[in-house]
Amino acid sequence: TKQNVRKFMNYIFIVNINTPYYSKYCINSWEIWGKKYNIEVITLNENFNKSIEPHWNKTFALDILEHSNIKYDKVAVVDNDTIVNPRCPNFFEEVSSNEIGVSIDDTNYDWIIRSMEAYGKFLFKDFKSFSPFEYFNSGFMVLDKNHKDLFHSIVEFLKLNYNDLNRIQNTFGVGRDQTPLNY
């Protein structure tokens, strides 16, 4: 009998620039989890764009996979401070094409609201406000090819507004990428 050979698969993509000590626990947990579902872990260990902070490298994940000739169905972009529960189900099966799979962030509403207010007031004035109860953690995003144009738009926005993004972060201490990605 012929076996079905998949040309595409799902990946975990971890930005691990500066390799903090705790990232080994993150990567190990994702590798153990991935083996259960035949999902490979890819780590980005070098900041290929020295003009941006490492946090923003996650926005290039789909381009990096494409330029590396890695064929994928979906990719979960996770921060290097995440640890997956080994009993976690295969969330790739839960996220439909064209949807972005995220985890709602409900850990610190004071910070979330201050961050939304600062970025909303100084950078996203023309954007519709949203509920802090819809706010997601950008340290976990499940994407597919349908999101390439969206992330190209995000990268263009980043290039045009990089100084303002940094000014807001440095002035108010409200994070670099998470709230802008929520907007």
Side-chain angles (χ1 to χ4, degrees):
T1 63
K2 288 185 178 180
Q3 290 185 349
N4 289 337
V5 178
R6 287 192 67 182
K7 293 182 181 179
F8 304 102
M9 62 184 294
N10 299 323
Y11 292 91
I12 303 296
F13 184 93
I14 303 171
V15 175
N16 190 41
I17 297 167
N18 301 329
T19 316
Y21 75 91
Y22 52 78
S23 68
K24 65 183 175 186
Y25 304 109
C26 163
I27 295 166
N28 188 45
S29 78
W30 284 107
E31 287 174 341
I32 291 168
W33 180 85
K35 283 180 185 172
K36 267 177 41 176
Y37 300 108
N38 191 31
I39 295 168
E40 188 177 335
V41 173
I42 297 171
T43 59
L44 175 65
N45 296 312
E46 287 186 38
N47 192 356
F48 66 92
N49 186 340
K50 304 284 188 227
S51 64
I52 63 171
E53 276 80 14
H55 302 83
W56 286 107
N57 281 274
K58 69 178 71 174
T59 61
F60 295 93
L62 300 178
D63 283 340
I64 289 169
L65 292 176
E66 189 171 296
H67 290 293
S68 300
N69 292 318
I70 296 173
K71 308 258 187 252
Y72 62 92
D73 290 322
K74 296 177 184 167
V75 58
V77 180
V78 301
D79 282 354
N80 67 352
D81 64 351
T82 60
I83 295 178
V84 63
N85 185 320
R87 293 179 300 203
C88 178
N90 186 350
F91 47 78
F92 286 108
E93 295 173 356
E94 304 297 319
V95 180
S96 301
S97 285
N98 291 324
E99 289 182 334
I100 297 177
V102 296
S103 175
I104 297 298
D105 193 335
D106 59 359
T107 58
N108 186 342
Y109 284 111
D110 174 60
W111 183 90
I112 290 169
I113 291 167
R114 284 187 303 107
S115 183
M116 289 172 63
E117 287 174 351
Y119 279 105
K121 181 177 179 180
F122 295 105
L123 191 58
F124 294 99
K125 296 175 210 144
D126 297 332
F127 286 67
K128 184 179 179 226
S129 185
F130 57 94
S131 168
F133 301 109
E134 297 172 342
Y135 189 92
F136 66 90
N137 187 314
S138 68
F140 177 85
M141 299 182 291
V142 178
L143 310 171
D144 65 30
K145 289 178 180 59
N146 294 311
H147 302 115
K148 285 192 323 189
D149 288 342
L150 171 63
F151 275 79
H152 287 157
S153 299
I154 292 169
V155 167
E156 287 305 310
F157 182 86
L158 171 62
K159 289 177 186 174
L160 291 171
N161 296 284
Y162 188 71
N163 291 333
D164 289 333
L165 289 162
N166 279 332
R167 182 181 47 77
I168 293 167
Q169 158 55 27
N170 294 333
T171 302
F172 300 102
V174 290
R176 295 199 183 280
D177 61 292
Q178 190 157 284
T179 301
L181 287 173
N182 269 268
Y183 270 102

